[in-house]
Amino acid sequence: MKGEVYIIVNQENLVYLSSTFSKLLKRSFGKGPESCNVFLKGNRFYIYMRNFMTPVEEVLINQGQLELAYNFRSAVLHSVTQEFIPEVTMTLGTSFDFVFHDWNYDKNTGILLLDYAQSNYEEKLDNSFQNSLFRLIENVGSYYHKKPASLNIVKFTQNICAIESKDVLLPLEKLVYENGNLDTLTQHARNIKDGYWKRKEQFESLFGRLIEDMFIMWDYKNNRNYLVFIFNKLYTMK
């Protein structure tokens, strides 16, 4: 595929990168995640973390200061990723142009995505399943944001499904972003994710899997988002 750079990597490299990222978090935040699982597909590098919350964040969240907690984590995470990306580049032999992340403080989980600008990778799935999934996403999303101009499944395994949606911002959301009101967009993004959570059973029925976690990462500059489902590893829907 034109413009695509394929990464050949072994499991030892992924284990090394997972350990390296955990150590960087511990050095910057004072503690690291309990677990740090990495996934790689089509020039997109995912890191899923469990049980990672600092005492400062716990205090802020208990006081209802969710925005401050998120801003604190975002600021420190920016510093961590600036140090981590060169390590990933050297290990995998490719560069990454974008960094996205999302957190579920109620579940104490989070996800980080490193993305390569020219990545055009798509999973090739059964057309009937893919069309049903896209219709469900469009139906749920229609209550909260513009119907995407395109939807692509960029990763699908027994553990994770990631869907890229392009051209999803309403004119008002674009204006809010251009005016730099990121806190408003962050709050709105949480409301959108809550809306998807309310339809979790519909997605579980379609996937045939229990959904353990869900994230939405937004790229306001390029008018797109990534919807990521983490599946429960222990149970399968009957």
Side-chain angles (χ1 to χ4, degrees):
M1 190 175 295
K2 185 177 181 180
E4 188 76 16
V5 177
Y6 293 98
I7 303 173
I8 300 176
V9 65
N10 56 43
Q11 188 62 30
E12 288 75 14
N13 285 341
L14 296 180
V15 171
Y16 166 74
L17 290 173
S18 173
S19 174
T20 299
F21 188 71
S22 294
K23 291 176 180 177
L24 288 174
L25 287 177
K26 185 173 183 180
R27 191 177 70 190
S28 298
F29 284 89
K31 64 171 295 185
E34 181 179 290
S35 64
C36 188
N37 299 322
V38 299
F39 310 91
L40 178 68
K41 195 73 172 183
N43 300 93
R44 295 183 180 94
F45 186 78
Y46 308 79
I47 305 177
Y48 176 56
M49 292 155 277
R50 293 186 180 91
N51 296 330
F52 171 58
M53 191 179 301
T54 66
V56 172
E57 290 172 310
E58 290 181 3
V59 171
L60 291 173
I61 291 170
N62 289 336
Q63 292 179 349
Q65 301 292 330
L66 188 59
E67 294 294 338
L68 289 178
Y70 190 88
N71 289 339
F72 167 77
R73 177 167 293 194
S74 295
V76 180
L77 195 65
H78 176 75
S79 175
V80 171
T81 54
Q82 292 304 302
E83 189 172 353
F84 182 61
I85 288 177
E87 193 71 31
V88 180
T89 298
M90 181 176 65
T91 303
L92 301 182
T94 188
S95 60
F96 294 91
D97 305 296
F98 303 104
V99 179
F100 309 112
H101 58 90
D102 187 28
W103 306 91
N104 292 325
Y105 282 110
D106 57 331
K107 298 174 67 68
N108 200 0
T109 56
I111 193 166
L112 178 81
L113 169 61
L114 305 182
D115 190 14
Y116 175 62
Q118 298 183 30
S119 182
N120 298 312
Y121 180 85
E122 297 178 35
E123 293 279 9
K124 303 301 181 183
L125 303 177
D126 175 74
N127 284 336
S128 177
F129 168 80
Q130 180 172 285
N131 291 337
S132 296
L133 176 59
F134 288 173
R135 282 196 300 269
L136 180 55
I137 291 173
E138 289 174 352
N139 181 43
V140 175
S142 65
Y143 292 95
Y144 308 101
H145 56 73
K146 177 184 173 183
K147 178 181 177 180
S150 68
L151 289 161
N152 299 308
I153 300 174
V154 296
K155 185 170 182 61
F156 189 51
T157 70
Q158 64 178 352
N159 300 322
I160 182 174
C161 178
I163 304 102
E164 181 187 37
S165 301
K166 295 183 178 179
D167 194 12
V168 292
L169 298 179
L170 295 168
L172 181 59
E173 293 170 321
K174 293 180 183 179
L175 180 61
V176 171
Y177 172 72
E178 290 169 358
N179 289 335
N181 297 321
L182 298 183
D183 286 347
T184 300
L185 289 174
T186 299
Q187 183 177 359
H188 182 53
R190 286 200 299 270
N191 292 336
I192 293 175
K193 184 164 59 176
D194 288 343
Y196 277 91
W197 264 116
K198 292 176 182 177
R199 304 289 188 93
K200 182 167 76 81
E201 291 183 358
Q202 291 180 254
F203 284 101
E204 288 179 330
S205 178
L206 181 60
F207 284 122
R209 299 290 308 275
L210 294 176
I211 295 172
E212 180 177 326
D213 228 337
M214 186 188 303
F215 302 95
I216 304 182
M217 292 171 283
W218 293 84
D219 180 1
Y220 295 105
K221 181 178 180 180
N222 295 292
N223 196 357
R224 60 177 176 154
N225 69 32
Y226 286 101
L227 173 63
V228 179
F229 298 95
I230 303 294
F231 299 123
N232 190 304
K233 298 179 180 180
L234 301 178
Y235 304 99
T236 302
M237 296 286 289
K238 299 295 185 181

